[in-house]
Amino acid sequence: QVQLVESGGGLVQPGGSLRLSCVVSGTLLRPNVMGWYRQAPGKERELVASITSGGSTNYADSVKGRFTISRDNAKNTVFLQMNSLKPEDTAVYYCNYSPAMYPRWASWGQGTQVTVSS
């Protein structure tokens, strides 16, 4: 019912920046949490950043001060601005939507590859 489409991934040099976008279609229930996760080869998927429908944000320690999550509710879009990128940021990044009262209805995007060269 809810579909997430991601874009913005690519190849970037260390210290560079990328901005990921995730457009959500369908009916969005509130309150909700939008999040960015990433998964590197051989590792488990981890939470990078999240933002609630009320605007509260949360970041993984590894990206604090470098990444910024934001959302445009009018366009049903969530962004992840990634600055000062490091090779260890290389991973497939996934967008997630989770209604707070109905966590079983959480939806995932298809993922977008982010590669930081060294």
Side-chain angles (χ1 to χ4, degrees), residues 10 18 34 36 40 69 84 101 107 109 111 115:
L18 283 175
M34 298 292 300
W36 285 98
I69 188 170
S84 302
M101 299 179 66
S107 298
T115 302

Side-chain angles (χ1 to χ4, degrees), residues 78-91:
V78 62
F79 305 95
L80 184 66
Q81 178 66 47
M82 304 184 294
N83 299 326
S84 302
L85 283 163
K86 305 175 181 179
E88 48 263 47
D89 294 318
T90 297

Side-chain angles (χ1 to χ4, degrees), residues 13-115:
Q13 64 182 13
S17 300
L18 283 175
R19 192 185 194 193
L20 306 183
S21 299
C22 175
V23 179
V24 184
S25 61
T27 301
L28 275 66
L29 302 176
R30 295 173 63 101
N32 63 63
V33 179
M34 298 292 300
W36 285 98
Y37 292 73
R38 68 185 181 187
Q39 186 168 23
K43 295 185 177 181
E44 295 184 2
R45 189 171 300 183
E46 64 175 348
L47 175 66
V48 176
S50 65
I51 183 168
T52 69
S53 49
S56 298
T57 58
N58 181 266
Y59 297 92
D61 289 339
S62 60
V63 306
K64 286 182 179 178
R66 299 188 298 120
F67 291 9
T68 302
I69 188 170
S70 62
R71 61 192 294 169
D72 184 340
N73 292 326
K75 296 182 178 180
N76 290 333
T77 304
V78 62
F79 305 95
L80 184 66
Q81 178 66 47
M82 304 184 294
N83 299 326
S84 302
L85 283 163
K86 305 175 181 179
E88 48 263 47
D89 294 318
T90 297
V92 177
Y93 284 70
Y94 298 90
C95 183
N96 173 269
Y97 158 76
S98 180
M101 299 179 66
Y102 305 95
R104 292 189 303 174
W105 296 357
S107 298
W108 292 89
Q110 78 285 357
T112 183
Q113 177 70 49
V114 172
T115 302

